[in-house]
Amino acid sequence: MKKIRLIIPYFGKLPKFFPYFLLTAKRNQKIDFLIYTDQNIDQFEILNAENIEFKTLSFDDLRKKVQSKFDFEISLKTPYKLCDYKVAYGFIFEEELKGYDYWGFCDTDVLLGDIYQFLEEHSFFENDYSRYGLLGHLQIFKNSQEVNHIFMSGQGLNYRLDFHNIFTSEQNFIFDEADGIQKIFEKNNFKQLQDKFFDDIDISHFSFREYGENEPKRYYFWSEENGLESINLIDGNIKVNRPL
């Protein structure tokens, strides 16, 4: 079995839905989660999740940790700017990732299906992909020197792909998504598993529908036995699946 660890820094008041994210993370027993936060974590001891590790530290301490990895002065004034640093977590947290085959990051406003099963079903390990994912809510990378330093290879391509420009600017470049790290991976011809394997729910509606849908076409439910599942209406046919 491959070892995977997801790195999640979260600073400031935790959202009300955070416990639900943790429940879905706990069910991913083959995935380890490392969560950095400045909030009280005692309340989550009742979860008793062996695959979730919390580390308490201030945002300033995390900034110092990130700064220690670079020989120029970085810009990291707010937690939101961490979006641009996500693709460098393999480099920044290399000590915390020793012994792991893959690393990644994910947001906390998501409900997770069975990540490991999904990767196996799509031959992620068998085909030796270097990366899964396109958007910032969930990505997984091969834990290798080449992949962990790939974010540095955009220098000289254009301003938005040069990590030095990105890490010294207060502006958010969305470096973790399609117009950032994706272009660098493509330029280096790294194998990637990429397709839409998630539902992006429009929270402005009470009923479950994705952005751009005029009517609900799915229903979600949770059970201790199977975790998160959905019933989908696809081309007039009903399909039950477990979302990623």
Side-chain angles (χ1 to χ4, degrees):
M1 187 180 79
K2 302 296 184 181
K3 293 189 66 176
I4 305 174
R5 193 174 212 186
L6 301 187
I7 306 289
I8 306 172
Y10 195 101
F11 297 92
K13 185 178 179 181
L14 295 169
K16 293 182 179 180
F17 48 74
F18 187 67
Y20 301 103
F21 162 75
L22 291 180
L23 284 174
T24 62
K26 178 183 178 180
R27 287 194 62 88
N28 279 271
Q29 291 295 308
K30 295 180 180 179
I31 308 287
D32 289 336
F33 294 79
L34 177 57
I35 302 175
Y36 290 91
T37 184
D38 56 357
Q39 300 298 295
N40 177 24
I41 60 173
D42 293 342
Q43 58 185 311
F44 302 122
E45 290 181 358
I46 192 173
L47 189 64
N48 194 29
E50 295 182 357
N51 64 324
I52 303 176
E53 178 183 357
F54 286 95
K55 286 194 175 183
T56 304
L57 81 169
S58 67
F59 178 65
D60 188 55
D61 285 339
L62 182 74
R63 183 192 298 112
K64 291 176 181 176
K65 179 178 179 64
V66 177
Q67 177 63 78
S68 70
K69 302 294 293 187
F70 300 97
D71 59 4
F72 56 86
E73 185 175 352
I74 65 168
S75 177
L76 185 54
K77 294 184 177 180
T78 66
Y80 185 69
K81 177 64 177 177
L82 281 170
C83 291
D84 282 337
Y85 289 88
K86 285 179 177 180
V87 298
Y89 283 177
F91 173 68
I92 295 169
F93 298 102
E94 60 182 336
E95 289 297 316
E96 291 80 1
L97 293 169
K98 284 185 176 179
Y100 285 90
D101 302 295
Y102 295 87
W103 63 272
F105 55 78
C106 74
D107 289 339
T108 59
D109 59 347
V110 298
L111 298 178
L112 301 169
D114 191 327
I115 298 174
Y116 201 94
Q117 176 179 301
F118 160 81
L119 294 174
E120 286 188 318
E121 288 178 352
H122 291 84
S123 303
F124 182 72
F125 309 121
E126 181 181 348
N127 291 328
D128 196 30
Y129 286 109
S130 294
R131 173 176 176 243
Y132 160 72
L134 177 64
L135 303 180
H137 70 284
L138 173 63
Q139 292 184 36
I140 295 174
F141 299 76
K142 187 175 182 179
N143 190 19
S144 69
Q145 284 291 312
E146 188 178 20
V147 173
N148 293 351
H149 288 77
I150 192 67
F151 72 94
M152 298 180 179
S153 68
Q155 285 188 300
L157 296 181
N158 68 53
Y159 187 84
R160 295 188 60 86
L161 298 180
D162 189 322
F163 83 102
H164 188 279
N165 296 333
I166 297 167
F167 291 174
T168 55
S169 172
E170 294 183 26
Q171 177 185 351
N172 191 297
F173 286 72
I174 319 178
F175 193 35
D176 57 327
E177 296 199 351
D179 291 329
I181 197 66
Q182 172 68 15
K183 293 187 179 299
I184 294 177
F185 266 78
E186 289 174 352
K187 179 180 180 297
N188 287 273
N189 296 314
F190 279 13
K191 292 178 64 176
Q192 302 178 78
L193 173 62
Q194 297 196 325
D195 204 337
K196 185 179 178 298
F197 300 111
F198 59 89
D199 294 334
D200 191 8
I201 302 302
D202 184 349
I203 61 174
S204 66
H205 296 278
F206 177 76
S207 55
F208 292 117
R209 66 185 73 180
E210 287 203 88
Y211 286 96
E213 290 182 338
N214 295 321
E215 58 185 23
K217 296 182 179 181
R218 59 189 52 79
Y219 171 76
Y220 298 89
F221 55 98
W222 171 274
S223 70
E224 288 298 325
E225 180 181 0
N226 297 320
L228 181 66
E229 296 182 277
S230 67
I231 298 175
N232 300 270
L233 184 62
I234 302 175
D235 297 328
N237 298 312
I238 294 177
K239 180 181 179 181
V240 178
N241 64 20
R242 300 178 187 176
L244 175 60

